[in-house]
Amino acid sequence: MKEKLLAQSLQISGQPIQGPLDSSLNNLGAVINRVVGSLLIPVAAVILFLIFIWGGYDFMMSGGDPARIKSARAKITAGIIGFILLIAAYVIVRLISYIFGLGGGIF
C-alpha cells in the first residue's frame, strides 16, 4: 500500500476517510498558499499597523527631545520597510502559486 502523507482522503480497509479541509486543498503547495494568504499576511499587517501607531505615538510624545524623535523615526522607517517586504512577500507567493497552478491569478 502506498503511503499518502497530508492526504485529505484515504481508503483504509475499503472505508473512505475524509480530512477536515475543503477539497481544494489537495496538496502541500495549496495548503501553504492558503496559510500564507489567509493567516500569515493578515497577522503581519496587524503587527505592522501597531508598529506605525507606536512610532507615531512616540513621535507625538517626544516633546522635542532629539533622541526620542530619532527613535520614533526609526520605528516609522522600520514600519515602511516592513510594509514593502510584506507587499513583496505577498506578490512573490501569488506569483509562485500562479506559476505552479495553485491559485487563480497573480492578484
Side-chain angles (χ1 to χ4, degrees):
M1 183 174 160
K2 187 177 174 183
E3 286 187 50
K4 291 186 177 183
L5 302 175
L6 298 173
Q8 283 297 301
S9 177
L10 292 175
Q11 291 278 34
I12 299 178
S13 299
Q15 290 282 48
I17 298 174
Q18 293 293 336
L21 302 175
D22 62 13
S23 62
S24 68
L25 300 176
N26 53 8
N27 58 29
L28 184 59
V31 172
I32 291 171
N33 191 25
R34 176 75 57 94
V35 168
V36 169
S38 300
L39 180 68
L40 293 181
I41 291 187
V43 168
V46 168
I47 292 170
L48 181 63
F49 180 69
L50 293 175
I51 289 173
F52 275 125
I53 290 176
W54 186 18
Y57 178 80
D58 283 353
F59 192 78
M60 289 189 313
M61 296 299 158
S62 66
D65 182 19
R68 291 182 69 187
I69 290 175
K70 185 177 179 182
S71 173
R73 283 187 179 165
K75 289 174 189 158
I76 293 171
T77 302
I80 292 170
I81 292 170
F83 179 73
I84 292 169
L85 290 175
L86 182 64
I87 296 299
Y90 177 77
V91 169
I92 289 169
V93 166
R94 295 297 294 177
L95 181 64
I96 289 173
S97 67
Y98 175 73
I99 290 171
F100 290 110
L102 299 174
I106 295 177
F107 297 105

